[in-house]
């Protein structure tokens, strides 16, 4: 099997690293040994060279024609580039080639890409950090992390199984759901936090006392660091979340605003008893998450 990866950044590079390493480690443990080659595509020749040197891929190129050898291709580009990349790929693809993506929004991607190439399986590995590029690629990024697969009634079942078999090599936890369900869920736990976190950073700029502003920068510690981390990440990713998951994000933003208005009212009215109940409820609710 030939596994293609288009986009050798944090996610694509990390997929390649783990697959490459897994194959090496099992050569003497499994008979017959696992047999697959990893083919990589990047816009930059330098990235291709680094990927080869780091053991991310077996072959790399800036030319999409390399993907003509692939049986399955992971498209690890920014969200806006996924569908255009598939359109460019089509002349090189074999009829049986499976395409899958890693985008953090699914409904518009799955709808568009399935029309372009019916053998498409929507996917979203929910792992990563604020770093970008091939140098950010790391081993074991996906271990025990959710990897969401979003098939539709038209997705070929055998293609789903093949995607799952490769994801299992990454040791991720596989979840299945509808594309629209995925988008509503990640709006709450991923996209909304990015917008809220960014708003916190932006709000600090409104402090009109320069001495207080300076002190805030000096005093900022783990609380501000942790809360502002996702809002200070990749601006392009934040924009794509808002643009491609607009409906679900607006829904969650409006609910968040209502909750924030309620808390503001508790404080204005000095309703400490109700605020205390809310804070205790928050504490209990947070324990339900499987971090």
């Amino acid at each position: 099997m030939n596994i293609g990866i288009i986009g050798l950044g944090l996610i694509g590079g990390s997929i390649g690293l783990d697959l490459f390493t897994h194959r090496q480690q099992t050569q003497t443990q499994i008979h017959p040994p696992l047999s697959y080659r990893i083919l990589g595509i990047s816009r930059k020749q330098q990235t291709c060279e680094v990927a080869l040197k780091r053991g991310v891929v077996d072959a790399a190129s800036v030319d999409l024609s390399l993907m003509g050898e692939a049986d399955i291709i992971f498209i690890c580009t920014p969200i806006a580039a996924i569908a255009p990349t598939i359109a460019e790929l089509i002349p090189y693809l074999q009829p049986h080639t499976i395409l899958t993506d890693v985008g953090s929004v699914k409904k518009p991607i799955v709808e568009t890409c399935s029309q372009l190439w019916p053998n498409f399986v929507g996917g979203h590995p929910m792992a990563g950090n604020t770093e970008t590029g091939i140098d950010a690629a790391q081993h074991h990024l996906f271990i025990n992390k959710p990897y969401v697969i979003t098939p539709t009634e038209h997705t070929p079942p055998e293609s789903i199984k093949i995607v799952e078999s490769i994801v299992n090599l990454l040791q991720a936890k596989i979840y299945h759901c509808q594309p629209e369900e995925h988008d509503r869920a990640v709006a709450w736990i991923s996209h909304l936090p990015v917008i809220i976190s960014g708003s916190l950073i932006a709000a600090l700029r409104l402090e009109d006392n320069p001495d207080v502003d300076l002190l805030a920068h000096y005093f900022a510690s783990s609380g501000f660091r942790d809360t502002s981390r996702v809002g200070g990440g990749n601006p392009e990713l934040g924009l794509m979340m808002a643009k491609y998951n607009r409906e679900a994000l607006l829904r969650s933003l409006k609910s968040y605003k209502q909750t924030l208005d309620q808390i503001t009212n508790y404080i204005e009215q000095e309703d400490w008893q109700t605020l205390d109940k809310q804070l205790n409820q928050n504490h209990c609710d947070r324990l339900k998450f499987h971090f």
Side-chain angles (χ1 to χ4, degrees):
M1 175 184 287
N2 289 331
I3 302 173
I5 302 173
I6 299 179
L8 299 173
L10 170 65
I11 300 299
S14 297
I15 290 173
L17 272 177
D18 277 353
L19 293 178
F20 196 98
T21 302
H22 188 275
R23 185 185 61 195
Q24 286 184 314
Q25 292 174 343
T26 56
Q27 290 301 307
T28 58
Q29 301 172 9
I30 298 178
H31 300 283
L34 291 174
S35 178
Y36 56 79
R37 293 177 68 236
I38 307 166
L39 314 174
I41 295 288
S42 175
R43 292 175 298 176
K44 300 178 181 178
Q45 181 61 36
Q46 182 181 3
T47 299
C48 294
E49 294 169 3
V50 173
L52 287 165
K53 186 176 181 180
R54 289 195 62 190
V56 172
V57 296
D58 296 298
S61 176
V62 296
D63 190 338
L64 286 175
S65 64
L66 178 63
M67 292 295 102
E69 303 175 32
D71 300 295
I72 180 171
I73 301 173
F74 286 78
I75 302 173
C76 305
T77 67
I79 295 172
I82 294 173
T85 297
I86 290 178
E88 290 184 57
L89 265 177
I90 289 175
Y92 307 108
L93 298 178
Q94 303 177 65
H96 71 271
T97 302
I98 301 166
L99 300 184
T100 186
D101 75 312
V102 299
S104 63
V105 178
K106 294 272 66 80
K107 183 179 179 181
I109 297 301
V110 170
E111 288 178 350
T112 301
C113 296
S114 296
Q115 291 178 1
L116 289 169
W117 191 255
N119 202 4
F120 177 85
V121 181
H124 179 203
M126 301 194 67
N129 51 52
T130 58
E131 298 180 18
T132 59
I134 185 64
D135 292 329
Q138 59 186 270
H139 292 283
H140 312 312
L141 181 67
F142 309 101
I143 291 181
N144 293 324
K145 300 293 176 59
Y147 197 114
V148 188
I149 296 176
T150 59
T152 69
E153 59 182 359
H154 303 295
T155 307
E158 186 60 32
S159 297
I160 299 171
K161 291 179 181 179
I162 292 174
V163 172
E164 289 176 338
S165 68
I166 297 174
V167 172
N168 280 326
L169 299 180
L170 305 176
Q171 300 181 60
K173 293 182 178 179
I174 296 175
Y175 294 87
H176 286 188
C177 67
Q178 293 297 307
E180 53 270 26
E181 293 176 331
H182 165 278
D183 290 354
R184 284 184 62 170
V186 298
W188 283 114
I189 53 85
S190 179
H191 302 174
L192 178 64
V194 168
I195 300 301
I196 293 172
S197 176
S199 298
L200 172 63
I201 299 170
L204 182 55
R205 293 201 304 270
L206 300 179
E207 174 55 59
D208 57 7
N209 185 322
D211 292 332
V212 172
D213 180 69
L214 185 61
L215 286 173
H217 284 78
Y218 284 147
F219 295 165
S221 188
S222 58
F224 186 84
R225 179 194 65 212
D226 295 344
T227 309
S228 65
R229 180 181 63 83
V230 294
N234 185 346
E236 181 184 15
L237 182 58
L239 178 61
M240 292 300 101
M241 289 174 176
K243 183 176 179 179
Y244 285 89
N245 202 20
R246 178 177 176 271
E247 182 178 343
L249 178 56
L250 282 173
R251 183 177 179 274
S252 60
L253 270 169
K254 290 174 182 176
S255 295
Y256 173 75
K257 185 177 181 298
Q258 290 177 355
T259 303
L260 189 61
D261 287 342
Q262 285 179 340
I263 293 175
T264 300
N265 185 63
Y266 298 154
I267 297 172
E268 287 178 342
Q269 301 299 320
E270 299 186 26
D271 187 354
W272 309 127
Q273 183 177 4
T274 305
L275 179 60
D276 181 60
K277 288 182 180 180
Q278 179 67 66
L279 294 174
N280 276 281
Q281 185 65 52
N282 296 346
H283 173 75
C284 293
D285 288 346
R286 190 175 188 274
L287 297 176
K288 300 175 184 176
F289 288 89
H290 302 283
F291 295 120

